[in-house]
Amino acid sequence: MEKGLIVSVSGPSGTGKGTVLAKVREIFPECGQSVSVTTRSPREGEAEGVAYFFRTKEQFMEMLSSGEIIEYDSYVDNLYGTPAGPLVEMSEKGTDVLLDLTIAGSLALKERFEQTVTIFLLPPSFETLEKRLRERGTESDDIIAKRLSEARNEVLKAKQFDYVVVNDDLDEAVRKVVSIMEAEKCRYARNNGIEGRI
Ligand code: 5GP
């Protein structure tokens, strides 16, 4: 059986990754989701085990040293990591998995699993990014400033990704991510045994 794709999307905070990925999931409801572990405190309305498992730094470091976390990164004073078991299991079973990771996270998965496809989501401009972060209203001015400064460094790393999508228009960005996934599934190398059907 072919392994499922590991589609990892990165991009500066406020680019709209969450919104784009939620729409892509509506189109591919069979897509698997990886629930990350984080040392960040839950935001209002964030329940344990939905988007994240919330852990202390000590608990996080324990999971890391026991190999339970397959990649991790530090982002604006917190740690974020992908649990190994569920991701490997889903992909081995042929289930495609869609992830929203930092740049280092996407690149680490690409190194580790040949079935990884990396997509960099770009904001149309820095002004849009700042406006989106402020409108979201979930972070303080200090954190927004840190996220914006991080965003400038991040955009320089887009060239290490397989694909780049500008999130200017939501539907258009969703269509592009879906097209990338469809095309990747059609790669000859991912269709073992096709000769038998010809
Ligand atoms: P937030 O605090 O806004 O939920 O997430 C901050 C950043 O952490 C986002 O850019 C998100 O992509 C990234 N992130 C979430 N989970 C993981 C993870 O498991 N590994 C890595 N490397 N990044 C993650």
Side-chain angles (χ1 to χ4, degrees):
M1 176 189 284
E2 278 309 308
K3 288 178 184 159
L5 294 176
I6 295 177
V7 182
S8 191
V9 181
S10 298
S13 180
T15 309
K17 267 181 303 176
T19 316
V20 170
L21 294 191
K23 291 236 167 206
V24 172
R25 283 186 189 285
E26 282 173 18
I27 297 168
F28 290 124
E30 68 285 4
C31 233
Q33 183 161 9
S34 161
V35 180
S36 293
V37 183
T38 184
T39 60
R40 166 168 81 60
S41 314
R43 294 186 186 125
E44 211 174 302
E46 268 186 332
E48 167 72 7
V50 179
Y52 290 110
F53 295 111
F54 298 96
R55 295 290 179 269
T56 62
K57 191 159 180 208
E58 292 66 37
Q59 290 169 329
F60 191 99
M61 297 317 284
E62 256 171 48
M63 291 178 80
L64 195 60
S65 56
S66 68
E68 279 175 76
I69 290 177
I70 209 161
E71 69 68 38
Y72 81 105
D73 199 3
S74 148
Y75 180 80
V76 189
D77 306 331
N78 285 302
L79 298 171
Y80 295 81
T82 305
L87 177 65
V88 172
E89 209 172 286
M90 284 187 280
S91 182
E92 290 290 330
K93 264 191 353 214
T95 303
D96 298 326
V97 189
L98 197 51
L99 301 105
D100 166 355
L101 303 184
T102 59
I103 292 168
S106 287
L107 298 176
L109 290 188
K110 180 89 191 169
E111 280 267 292
R112 182 106 187 226
F113 303 106
E114 45 81 29
Q115 68 271 35
T116 306
V117 178
T118 54
I119 304 176
F120 198 96
L121 199 63
L122 269 178
S125 68
F126 276 99
E127 290 69 32
T128 322
L129 199 63
E130 183 163 6
K131 190 163 165 270
R132 285 185 190 161
L133 280 177
R134 294 204 185 283
E135 280 171 1
R136 198 158 77 177
T138 49
E139 266 92 21
S140 64
D141 281 358
D142 178 44
I143 297 284
I144 289 177
K146 280 193 184 165
R147 288 191 175 223
L148 282 173
S149 125
E150 182 79 24
R152 288 186 192 274
N153 295 327
E154 285 179 338
V155 167
L156 300 172
K157 297 182 187 147
K159 58 175 179 288
Q160 298 176 60
F161 279 63
D162 297 322
Y163 297 94
V164 165
V165 171
V166 178
N167 186 17
D168 203 348
D169 175 84
L170 177 62
D171 290 338
E172 186 74 354
V174 170
R175 195 182 59 75
K176 286 179 180 166
V177 173
V178 167
S179 305
I180 291 167
M181 290 173 68
E182 299 278 25
E184 287 288 338
K185 285 159 170 297
C186 292
R187 270 187 191 273
Y188 198 90
R190 290 200 214 276
N191 286 274
N192 264 341
I194 197 85
E195 285 87 353
R197 280 185 244 160
I198 299 170

